[in-house]
Amino acid sequence: MKKKFATIFSSLALVAMLIATLCACSTYGSVKSKYESNGWTENEDCVKLQETLLKNALGEDYAQTCKIHALAKNGSILNYVIILEFNSTDDMNKKIDESETLKGMIKDVQNSDFVNKNCILLFSMTNEGREIFKNSK
C-alpha cells in the first residue's frame, strides 16, 4: 500500500512539475523566428545603446528579471526593434506595476499589441516592426 501511495504521489509531483515548466516557457523564440523570416537579424550594438535607458526605466536590477533583444532589418541601426523578454509573465507584470514608463506605454497588458506573453515590444522605428510583433501572437 505504501509503495502504491508513493508511486501515485511521485507521479502527481512529476506531472505538476512538467506543467509548471511548460507554463514558464518564453515566447521570444517564436517572436524572433517571425522577425527572421521577414529579413530581420539580432543586433548587439542596438542592445548596448538601450542598456542605459533600461536601467533608468526599470531600475538597476532589470537584468535579473528581463533580457533585452534588438533586431534590425538589413543590419541598419535606424530600422530596428527592441524587445524585452522577461523571465516570466509574473515578473513582467510586477515590473510594469513598478515602472511609470511601462505603465504609460502599456495601459491594458492583456489586450496590448505590444505584449506577447512574457515579451514586450519596447520600441520600433517602423510600422513593419510593430506588425511583425503583433502577428507573432
Side-chain angles (χ1 to χ4, degrees), residues 16-129:
M17 190 170 71
L18 285 172
I19 289 171
T21 303
L22 291 175
C23 290
C25 292
S26 176
T27 59
Y28 180 70
S30 64
V31 171
K32 180 183 173 188
S33 68
K34 192 76 164 172
Y35 276 97
E36 287 177 339
S37 68
N38 284 285
W40 295 66
T41 57
E42 295 253 18
N43 188 320
E44 286 300 316
D45 293 332
C46 292
V47 170
K48 291 175 185 170
L49 291 172
Q50 300 302 318
E51 286 177 342
T52 303
L53 296 174
L54 277 179
K55 285 180 186 174
N56 292 335
L58 301 176
E60 290 289 328
D61 65 339
Y62 83 90
Q64 294 174 1
T65 57
C66 74
K67 183 176 181 181
I68 184 171
H69 298 279
L71 295 135
K73 183 133 188 193
N74 302 324
S76 171
I77 198 161
L78 298 175
N79 191 12
Y80 68 98
V81 296
I82 301 294
I83 298 170
L84 296 181
E85 175 192 11
F86 287 85
N87 296 336
S88 68
T89 306
D90 291 338
D91 285 346
M92 180 187 72
N93 289 330
K94 182 179 174 187
K95 279 295 183 187
I96 290 172
D97 288 341
E98 294 172 356
S99 170
E100 292 301 320
T101 303
L102 288 177
K103 272 188 207 173
M105 189 179 95
I106 304 166
K107 305 250 187 272
D108 183 2
V109 173
Q110 300 302 321
N111 297 316
S112 175
D113 290 339
F114 301 112
V115 177
N116 185 349
K117 296 188 182 171
N118 69 321
C119 294
I120 296 176
L121 178 64
L122 189 63
F123 179 81
S124 176
M125 291 285 288
T126 64
N127 192 39
E128 178 189 9

Side-chain angles (χ1 to χ4, degrees), residues 1-11:
M1 180 70 173
K2 286 183 181 181
K3 284 184 180 181
K4 231 180 202 182
F5 179 75
T7 304
I8 291 171
F9 180 75
S10 61
S11 296

